[in-house]
Amino acid sequence: VAALISLSFGGAVGLMFLMLGCALPQYNQYWPLFVLFFYILSPIPYCIARRLVDDTDATSNACKELAIFLTTGIVVSAFGLPIVFARAQLIYWGACALVLTGNTVIFATILGFFLVFGSNDDFSWQQW
């Protein structure tokens, strides 16, 4: 229960930083909300790979490696998009810093979710 509460708190704090980067009166640009797509897309390759691969093999698996590679590309893109927006002067650098802080918290929360609920016990996220 404590893990679930801390994960939900982390998600709320990360989204708060994202909203502050968009909605503060001195920034007032909502372009950084496009990183929400990356939040949704980031766990998908790894979830698909976990469904397709059995964990009994001790060696590395190409499907899991590809999923980790794609997830890494999505995460790097989520960090790169606000920097590109700031360089193109669509958003201010302060808003970029808030969005990058929110990205760090959200992706740490997503990683924490997979670490907490990723095992194959009686209650896991795979049953959903």
Side-chain angles (χ1 to χ4, degrees):
V1 176
L4 191 60
I5 291 172
S6 64
L7 287 173
S8 63
F9 181 73
V13 168
L15 288 176
M16 179 198 65
F17 278 118
L18 177 65
M19 289 299 141
L20 284 176
C22 296
L24 283 177
Q26 63 263 32
Y27 303 138
N28 201 21
Q29 295 291 326
Y30 289 90
W31 289 105
L33 285 179
F34 280 110
V35 298
L36 289 173
F37 292 118
F38 296 116
Y39 297 162
I40 295 167
L41 290 176
S42 65
I44 291 175
Y46 193 68
C47 289
I48 292 172
R50 293 230 13 201
R51 291 283 185 187
L52 296 176
V53 176
D54 60 346
D55 289 333
T56 59
D57 189 15
T59 62
S60 178
N61 190 334
C63 184
K64 266 191 167 177
E65 297 293 330
L66 178 64
I68 292 170
F69 177 76
L70 292 175
T71 302
T72 303
I74 292 169
V75 170
V76 168
S77 298
F79 280 96
L81 186 67
I83 295 171
V84 170
F85 283 163
R87 295 267 306 159
Q89 297 179 350
L90 289 174
I91 64 173
Y92 293 103
W93 283 103
C96 178
L98 286 170
V99 172
L100 291 178
T101 304
N103 281 350
T104 304
V105 173
I106 289 288
F107 286 124
T109 303
I110 292 171
L111 177 66
F113 177 80
F114 281 107
L115 292 176
V116 170
F117 295 110
S119 63
N120 290 330
D121 55 356
D122 292 334
F123 179 74
S124 72
W125 61 274
Q126 292 176 345
Q127 294 176 356
W128 300 348

